[in-house]
Amino acid sequence: MPNYAILHEKPECLYEDYERKSELHRQTHYCPGCGHGIVHKLLAEAITELGIQDRTILISPVGCSVFAYYYFDVGNVQVAHGRAAAVATAVKRAHPHSIVISYQGDGDLAAIGSAEILHCANRGENITTIFVNNAIYGMTGGQMAPTTLLGQKTTTSPTGRDFHHDGAPMKVGEMLSALDGPTYIERVSLGNVKQIMLARKAIRKALETQIAGLGFSLVEFLSPCPTIWKLDPVDAQKHVHDVMEKHYPLGVKCDRIAERTAPPEPAPMTPLTDLPRILRLPSTEPAPLHFSEEPLDWRIRVAGFGGQGVLLLGQLLAEAGMDAGLHVSWLPSYGPEMRSGTSNCHVRLCSSEIDSPVVSRPNALLALNEPSLRKFIATVEPGGVVIYNGDSIPADCSRHDLRIVAQPFAEIADSLGSAKALNIVMLGAFLSLSHALPDSPIESALKRLVKSERWLELDRRALAVGRERVPAEEFVHA
Amino acid sequence: MAKQLLKGNEAIVKGAILAGCRAFYGYPITPANEITEAAAWYLPQSGGVFLQAESEVAAINMVYGAAASGQRVMTASSGPGISLMSEGISYLAGAELPCVIADIMRGGPGLGNIAPEQSDYWQVVKNGGHGCYRTIVLAPASVQEMADLTRLAFELADQYRNPVFVLTDGVIGQMMEPVEFPDAPVLPPPPEWSVRGDAATRKNLVSSIFLQPDELEEHIRHLEFKYKLAERNEVRFERYRTDDADYILVGYGIVARILKHVVEDLRARGIAVGLLRPITLYPFPDEELRRLAKRAHHFFVSEMSTGQMVDDVRLALAGRAPVEFYGRCGGNLPTAEEIASFVLRRIREEVTLHA
């Protein structure tokens, strides 16, 4: 029997031998007196005591704690500078039952990673962030951090941090607590043994928050960096207590644990057999239609104002063409045109495979307004069809080598009860003139694209009126 | 499965989910928005994760997290967003994490515009991030290929443990064509090396840091070996009427479709023209170009840029045949007519020169 009692021992969660290090497998790479060693031990104790070692995934940052994975016998993901909160977000969402801990220093979290931590906290991601604030960039050799105190000399603030030049030291705990997203945020200190014991409790509380599924938790540690501060370890610890704590008040910054409830359990896995339904994949092939033995190659340009239904008109042609067993393509002009200005699309209906979906020499132009007519009529192939929404073709853009129909289709649509039916009236006119497609695929395309019964009825009438107003044999040459 | 008329961008998402993708992290940008929107709609219903990130920087790092967790994951963006993602892509390649990134190219540089271009070739194919890494790059030229190559992208990403790009232009992203999906969806088990928050994976580590120069060199050589393997096994291309061709046109994405029209047009005028369409931009079909150069004595490259892929054609041919370039940019598409007349003019000059 040993005649002594073990009061402190290495937590199971830390490796016995640090074999991932290239040398000195029994000691850490941290400097004597560095706060990381203490924080590592507190964290490892909490993980071990809470029995979550197998479930834990540690996200290590860039900075002195980049090698946290040397020590922690848990799942480890090492990440880019500042991005721990983003990576942690996705890890947790992939494995909601895991315990995700992102470990970050002040340069990493508060400077380059400020956007990621802000949004992670605001989303209330159910992760725990260990934030080590030593007011300096340690790994890179002592540059100024967002948390560097006013007057503090660093290699990049050699005369001391100046408010007018560098702004104020950033209070991360308070800043994040101003958001509604986080559940629990506390600032603790490694300034003396008593405070270290309080810090121990804070880590535990943060992890318990995550285990209960209650959302985002963060513990900010005021931590000594004796090497860069050029102080011996005892003085460095004293500096944390005497100086840092004055600017960075300790305590709970937000605690909304009582207000929060855990989200429902994730749904069971979606069976793969459900995917075709979920993805709306068609189950049955439409019966192939052989309505024409002639080789067919419609290269159609539809153009008008945004909001006139230009794109839908083109899409109806393509959908119907597909149902008719043709090769089809539909290419919109996209972007701002969707919201204002002009809109146009290219449609091809072809009995053989389509090379290019780009219609630069159309054999049919459906112009819903005058600017579109002017823009495209010169590109139409001789012998091509032009359908124009207007009383007549303006004299300065008329051509005698085209089959042209000009009618006030907008007025016709209006008389049917809605100017919005203009595109379908013109579709009727085009189909009547061109015999491009039979009726049944047009009907099936309409049914697929027009969801409202009222609109479907109007569109059917518009289609019929369009056909009536432009009998197949009637070509008006402008 | 029956055919369905779909936008290229939407076909990517359906293809991805059927290929086992269960996570999507993205940020809005035109002309890739339909991908993000379709992912937001379909992924949660399919038992997957969708999250709109606060930036492309965050999005690609979320992709890193999901990939490290063993999920099949993707993101989508366009030029400016891909620029921001470059850092993360370097980390993904360094940590050997598989993922799929769709880049629906728009006009650059800077804000440029939202119209189609092919000017991300250099940053995607030659890699925009730091370090000796490559990404496999697939270049769809139809909506069907948007679905098919996305599926292939997930397979290659897992096989090579590397990011794979689906690189195309705004036209292919925005256009609709009939597409047919495979009957059998797949959902492979998570890779052994992934970190999943359980006892089985507790010892796993995902990292791209190798502190000792010897270790890092070994790692880089290992990556290099994978890329050589891909160069040997993954080259894909389409040949169109090249067997008897004296002149070869080279293009990818929407330009290749336009070039097919040019081939038909010039063939009708009695000129023996063919088309080589690289389907993989990395690895590039070098050998096929050299093989074609045994017969063809003149190559024409067309791109929607001031000439980026043309460098790779010249490198591959290494002076075996003259390489001419015709490009449009700023969001303009080259028309079949203008390319045909460019090619004809050059052929006539060649004839005059040799007369």
Side-chain angles (χ1 to χ4, degrees), chain A residues 43-123:
Chain A
L43 179 60
E45 278 172 359
I47 292 170
T48 304
E49 285 164 19
L50 290 166
I52 53 172
Q53 185 179 0
D54 283 344
R55 290 164 66 195
T56 296
I57 300 172
L58 184 68
I59 314 292
S60 28
V62 169
C64 286
S65 49
V66 61
F67 298 120
Y69 61 83
Y70 284 171
Y71 313 116
F72 285 89
D73 181 5
V74 297
N76 274 286
V77 181
Q78 200 288 315
V79 303
H81 196 28
R83 316 301 177 213
V87 175
T89 293
V91 170
K92 183 72 182 192
R93 284 172 185 247
H95 301 297
H97 286 289
S98 64
I99 301 300
V100 177
I101 301 165
S102 80
Y103 191 113
Q104 296 186 265
D106 44 12
D108 191 84
L109 181 142
I112 193 168
S114 52
E116 284 79 5
I117 192 65
L118 193 82
H119 288 272
C120 177
N122 195 51
R123 287 189 302 266

Side-chain angles (χ1 to χ4, degrees), chain B residues 290 312-321 323:
Chain B
R290 287 194 283 273
D312 281 336
V313 175
R314 291 198 172 112
L315 276 171
L317 290 174
R320 285 173 176 81
V323 177

Side-chain angles (χ1 to χ4, degrees), chain A residues 21-40:
Chain A
K21 284 185 78 193
S22 58
E23 53 194 8
L24 301 174
H25 292 170
R26 286 286 178 154
Q27 66 190 68
T28 71
H29 71 287
Y30 297 114
C31 307
C34 169
H36 281 301
I38 302 170
V39 178
H40 277 28

Side-chain angles (χ1 to χ4, degrees), chain A residues 89-420:
Chain A
T89 293
V91 170
K92 183 72 182 192
R93 284 172 185 247
H95 301 297
H97 286 289
S98 64
I99 301 300
V100 177
I101 301 165
S102 80
Y103 191 113
Q104 296 186 265
D106 44 12
D108 191 84
L109 181 142
I112 193 168
S114 52
E116 284 79 5
I117 192 65
L118 193 82
H119 288 272
C120 177
N122 195 51
R123 287 189 302 266
E125 297 291 344
N126 189 30
I127 67 154
T128 302
T129 294
I130 302 297
F131 170 44
V132 178
N133 174 4
N134 57 16
I136 200 85
Y137 280 74
M139 183 64 123
T140 45
Q143 295 81 8
M144 185 180 68
T147 45
T148 294
L149 298 176
L150 288 177
Q152 187 180 339
K153 287 181 181 170
T154 72
T155 58
T156 51
S157 58
T159 56
R161 181 176 188 153
D162 173 13
F163 176 83
H164 296 290
H165 187 268
D166 306 309
M170 192 178 275
K171 290 177 176 157
V172 169
E174 287 81 351
M175 180 177 76
L176 295 181
S177 295
L179 303 168
D180 290 336
T183 300
Y184 167 65
I185 294 176
E186 181 167 354
R187 182 180 292 122
V188 297
S189 168
L190 305 179
N192 60 40
V193 175
K194 189 179 160 209
Q195 283 168 335
I196 291 172
M197 288 302 106
L198 291 172
R200 188 168 186 265
K201 282 188 185 154
I203 285 196
R204 213 187 153 98
K205 189 168 170 185
L207 287 175
E208 281 168 346
T209 302
Q210 183 180 174
I211 292 167
L214 300 181
F216 182 82
S217 53
L218 179 143
V219 183
E220 175 176 345
F221 293 82
L222 303 183
S223 176
C225 180
T227 303
I228 302 288
W229 291 353
K230 298 187 176 68
L231 295 173
D232 70 44
V234 174
D235 288 342
Q237 192 175 36
K238 203 164 148 22
H239 179 83
V240 170
H241 187 59
D242 296 345
V243 181
M244 281 188 82
E245 286 175 21
K246 288 215 164 54
H247 181 75
Y248 293 111
L250 303 184
V252 174
K253 301 298 160 186
C254 79
D255 183 348
R256 304 182 180 112
I257 292 171
E259 301 162 29
R260 297 282 149 94
T261 51
E265 277 292 296
M269 216 169 68
T270 310
L272 292 185
T273 47
D274 284 0
L275 287 183
R277 175 187 56 78
I278 291 166
L279 298 178
R280 299 180 190 161
L281 305 183
S283 51
T284 51
E285 196 92 45
L289 275 167
H290 296 289
F291 66 94
S292 169
E293 294 301 316
E294 296 289 303
L296 186 147
D297 182 11
W298 281 107
R299 282 165 277 121
I300 306 162
R301 202 73 185 253
V302 188
F305 290 125
Q308 279 185 313
V310 166
L311 301 184
L312 179 67
L313 169 44
Q315 208 184 325
L316 277 166
L317 282 165
E319 289 272 359
M322 180 179 70
D323 285 0
L326 296 170
H327 295 272
V328 302
S329 64
W330 172 91
L331 168 62
S333 60
Y334 59 84
E337 292 95 338
M338 287 156 63
R339 292 170 277 276
S340 66
T342 62
S343 168
N344 76 81
C345 64
H346 313 227
V347 177
R348 288 198 64 181
L349 310 173
C350 201
S351 52
S352 58
E353 206 165 308
I354 291 168
D355 44 23
S356 171
V358 181
V359 176
S360 45
R361 291 286 278 161
N363 55 14
L365 169 65
L366 280 70
L368 279 70
N369 64 12
E370 189 181 325
S372 302
L373 180 81
R374 289 185 177 279
K375 190 169 177 187
F376 293 113
I377 193 163
T379 65
V380 181
E381 207 172 63
V385 176
V386 174
I387 300 189
Y388 172 54
N389 169 35
D391 294 330
S392 62
I393 300 282
D396 59 337
C397 59
S398 96
R399 280 176 57 182
H400 294 283
D401 55 347
L402 303 175
R403 299 186 292 163
I404 300 178
V405 169
Q407 287 202 20
F409 291 109
E411 288 170 26
I412 299 171
D414 244 350
S415 71
L416 285 170
S418 172
K420 283 187 174 173

Side-chain angles (χ1 to χ4, degrees), chain A residues 20-22 62 66-67 69-70 78-79, chain B residues 64 90-97 132 161 205-223 226:
Chain A
R20 283 173 174 159
K21 284 185 78 193
S22 58
V62 169
V66 61
F67 298 120
Y69 61 83
Y70 284 171
Q78 200 288 315
V79 303
Chain B
Y64 184 99
S90 168
Y91 276 79
L92 282 151
E96 294 193 86
L97 291 176
C132 295
R161 284 189 62 178
L205 165 66
V206 170
S207 171
S208 64
I209 188 169
F210 297 87
L211 205 54
Q212 305 303 323
D214 286 344
E215 287 174 18
L216 182 56
E217 184 168 26
E218 193 187 326
H219 177 62
I220 294 167
R221 295 293 180 201
H222 161 68
L223 298 181
K226 291 198 303 187

Side-chain angles (χ1 to χ4, degrees), chain B:
Chain B
M1 215 51 85
K3 285 195 169 164
Q4 143 177 64
L5 195 68
L6 276 186
K7 271 196 173 192
N9 282 346
E10 203 177 340
I12 283 188
V13 174
K14 293 190 181 188
I17 293 172
L18 293 169
C21 175
R22 288 297 178 276
F24 186 103
Y25 294 94
Y27 186 82
I29 188 167
T30 309
N33 289 324
E34 293 83 0
I35 305 180
T36 310
E37 288 162 359
W41 179 255
Y42 290 119
L43 259 170
Q45 297 178 62
S46 308
V49 179
F50 168 84
L51 187 68
Q52 181 172 321
E54 59 271 24
S55 68
E56 287 91 346
V57 174
I60 196 69
N61 282 284
M62 290 172 183
V63 167
Y64 184 99
S69 306
Q71 279 182 316
R72 280 195 165 180
V73 56
M74 75 172 295
T75 186
S77 192
S78 188
I82 301 294
S83 297
L84 280 172
M85 288 183 184
S86 294
E87 175 205 49
I89 295 165
S90 168
Y91 276 79
L92 282 151
E96 294 193 86
L97 291 176
C99 68
V100 173
I101 304 155
D103 177 4
I104 313 300
M105 290 182 278
R106 59 184 252 166
L111 207 46
N113 63 30
I114 60 169
E117 252 194 9
Q118 295 181 317
S119 51
D120 292 355
Y121 184 93
W122 280 337
Q123 80 158 342
V124 168
V125 176
K126 304 297 177 186
N127 79 45
H130 57 284
C132 295
Y133 75 93
R134 304 301 304 252
T135 52
I136 294 173
V137 184
L138 308 177
S142 67
V143 176
Q144 184 65 53
E145 278 194 346
M146 290 289 252
D148 296 346
L149 293 183
T150 298
R151 189 185 183 97
L152 176 65
F154 278 101
E155 282 159 20
L156 294 176
D158 271 1
Q159 191 182 332
Y160 288 88
R161 284 189 62 178
N162 204 68
V164 176
F165 265 93
V166 174
L167 179 70
T168 197
D169 45 83
V171 176
I172 303 290
Q174 295 293 324
M175 69 187 265
M176 287 180 118
E177 282 181 320
V179 57
E180 198 172 355
F181 291 97
D183 283 319
V186 295
L187 187 63
E192 272 180 26
W193 49 259
S194 57
V195 178
R196 305 195 292 277
D198 56 23
T201 64
R202 198 178 88 196
K203 304 283 180 193
N204 288 352
L205 165 66
V206 170
S207 171
S208 64
I209 188 169
F210 297 87
L211 205 54
Q212 305 303 323
D214 286 344
E215 287 174 18
L216 182 56
E217 184 168 26
E218 193 187 326
H219 177 62
I220 294 167
R221 295 293 180 201
H222 161 68
L223 298 181
E224 185 188 24
F225 174 76
K226 291 198 303 187
Y227 304 140
K228 295 282 176 230
L229 207 64
E231 285 171 17
R232 199 159 66 225
N233 297 330
E234 307 305 340
V235 175
R236 285 166 173 83
F237 52 83
E238 181 195 356
R239 276 187 303 247
Y240 183 69
R241 306 192 74 170
T242 56
D243 285 354
D244 63 341
D246 297 325
Y247 305 93
I248 300 289
L249 312 181
V250 189
Y252 69 101
I254 187 61
V255 174
R257 300 285 294 269
I258 297 167
L259 290 178
K260 259 192 190 173
H261 192 83
V262 175
V263 169
E264 290 306 312
D265 183 18
L266 293 178
R267 285 263 172 185
R269 303 188 207 196
I271 300 164
V273 188
L275 163 71
L276 180 75
R277 172 172 77 92
I279 295 174
T280 51
L281 296 173
Y282 179 80
F284 198 68
D286 300 311
E287 268 180 44
E288 183 58 19
L289 277 161
R290 287 194 283 273
R291 200 188 64 78
L292 290 170
K294 284 181 184 155
R295 179 187 165 89
H297 46 77
H298 214 136
F299 287 71
F300 295 87
V301 178
S302 185
E303 295 174 66
M304 294 195 302
S305 73
T306 49
Q308 301 195 356
M309 182 185 71
V310 64
D311 289 358
D312 281 336
V313 175
R314 291 198 172 112
L315 276 171
L317 290 174
R320 285 173 176 81
V323 177
E324 305 276 357
F325 179 75
Y326 184 82
R328 292 296 303 271
C329 49
N332 285 317
L333 272 72
T335 65
E337 294 77 18
E338 66 194 51
I339 299 173
S341 66
F342 171 80
V343 173
L344 276 175
R345 206 161 53 238
R346 285 289 187 274
I347 291 175
R348 277 196 214 106
E349 283 168 11
E350 190 188 50
V351 172
T352 318
L353 207 66
H354 291 281

